[in-house]
């Protein structure tokens, strides 16, 4: 069993927008209750089905700016369609104080910043099987205007070139298979972190 460690594990799931990382994370959280999602703050609109405090803390741009100025974010991003999202340091502290492992869902630049600054981080890049499939999934979700979908697709092209920079890359070709692969990676990393912390 993983003991409380000098270098606690932090799991970051990143990847192309629309690759389905949210679905994989939901399965991961159910199957590994020792993990807990770090709820980011965002200035974007709440989508149907989302709950404030569950997917995100939905806050105003003014409040977001105050948090930036106060240094409350571990990292944050200004997304090309105008929204700002960031990881609150307090979320990581809260989750670790409960003896849980923080799970972060980040776009690639934020994931790289966390990978460079936090010891004990493991990063997993989730990709769609093909770019056509990614486009289909983004359009199916269709909560964004078509303009925003195009911006997300352009971003996804750039994000795919960053794939090799992360610790692991998995393809979400089949949700159950990809979830099993992700769970396997996190279990192995937890075991390693636990054994390294033992005297
Ligand atoms: P969405 O608006 O579709 O929920 O998320 C858009 C992108 O922002 C996703 O790739 C998601 O992983 C990323 N994201 C969500 N929260 C954060 C955050 O706190 N920091 C960073 N860097 N990216 C985030």
């Amino acid at each position: 069993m993983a003991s409380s460690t000098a270098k606690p594990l932090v799991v970051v799931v990143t990847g192309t927008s629309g690759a389905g990382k949210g679905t994989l994370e939901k399965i991961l959280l159910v199957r590994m209750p020792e993990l807990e999602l770090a709820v980011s703050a965002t200035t974007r609109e709440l989508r149907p089905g989302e709950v404030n405090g569950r997917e995100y803390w939905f806050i105003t741009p003014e409040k977001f700016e105050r948090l930036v100025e106060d240094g409350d974010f571990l990292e944050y991003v200004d997304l090309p369609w105008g929204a700002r999202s960031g990881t609150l340091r307090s979320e990581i502290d809260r989750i670790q104080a409960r003896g849980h492992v923080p799970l972060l869902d980040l776009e690639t630049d934020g994931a790289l910043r966390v990978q460079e600054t936090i010891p004990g981080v493991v990063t997993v890049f989730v990709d769609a099987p093909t770019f056509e499939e990614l486009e289909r999934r983004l359009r199916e979700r269709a909560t964004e205007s078509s303009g925003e979908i195009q911006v997300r697709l352009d971003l996804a092209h750039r994000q795919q070139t960053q794939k090799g920079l992360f610790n692991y890359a998995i393809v979400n070709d089949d949700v159950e298979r990809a979830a099993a692969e992700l769970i396997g990676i996190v279990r192995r990393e937890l075991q390693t972190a636990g054994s390294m912390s033992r005297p």
Side-chain angles (χ1 to χ4, degrees):
M1 200 181 97
S3 54
S4 69
T5 95
K7 197 185 80 168
L9 189 67
V10 172
V11 178
V12 174
V13 176
T14 186
T16 42
S17 177
K21 54 188 189 302
T23 308
L24 298 183
E25 285 159 18
K26 283 202 185 93
I27 299 172
L28 181 66
L29 286 163
V30 169
R31 307 243 178 106
M32 294 191 68
E34 60 270 57
L35 259 59
E36 194 174 335
L37 184 71
V39 179
S40 294
T42 188
T43 63
R44 82 150 163 75
E45 296 282 309
L46 191 136
R47 293 184 189 134
E50 288 183 332
V51 175
N52 189 31
R54 190 179 66 188
E55 282 81 9
Y56 286 101
W57 297 106
F58 294 91
I59 63 172
T60 62
E62 293 73 26
K63 168 86 179 158
F64 196 99
E65 185 53 32
R66 266 205 308 282
L67 292 169
V68 171
E69 283 166 14
D70 291 348
D72 288 341
F73 285 117
L74 175 66
E75 63 75 46
Y76 66 91
V77 64
D78 292 321
L79 290 155
W81 47 91
R84 309 182 85 188
S85 299
T87 311
L88 293 159
R89 294 181 194 281
S90 57
E91 272 290 291
I92 309 295
D93 295 344
R94 182 186 64 77
I95 292 168
Q96 289 179 336
R98 282 157 56 88
H100 288 170
V101 175
L103 171 67
L104 278 56
D105 176 327
L106 305 176
E107 50 65 62
T108 47
D109 290 338
L112 285 173
R113 274 197 298 282
V114 172
Q115 183 169 261
E116 281 155 17
T117 52
I118 306 273
V121 73
V122 56
T123 53
V124 184
F125 183 99
V126 179
D127 205 358
T130 63
F131 208 79
E132 290 68 38
E133 176 61 13
L134 190 72
E135 179 162 4
R136 196 190 61 74
R137 289 182 196 175
L138 271 177
R139 291 197 189 284
E140 193 178 76
R141 187 156 82 187
T143 48
E144 294 85 13
S145 67
S146 56
E148 188 170 313
I149 287 171
Q150 192 52 53
V151 178
R152 281 183 186 251
L153 284 170
D154 293 343
L155 178 65
H157 266 297
R158 187 177 73 78
Q159 288 173 328
Q160 278 184 324
T161 66
Q162 297 171 302
K163 180 154 84 175
L165 302 174
F166 299 99
N167 301 138
Y168 298 92
I170 66 176
V171 178
N172 187 12
D173 45 2
D174 172 87
V175 170
E176 275 305 319
R177 192 212 61 74
E181 190 179 351
L182 179 59
I183 290 163
I185 289 168
V186 176
R187 286 227 165 98
R188 272 199 311 278
E189 289 287 340
L190 256 179
Q191 271 164 10
T192 308
S195 60
M196 281 191 351
S197 71
R198 282 188 209 114

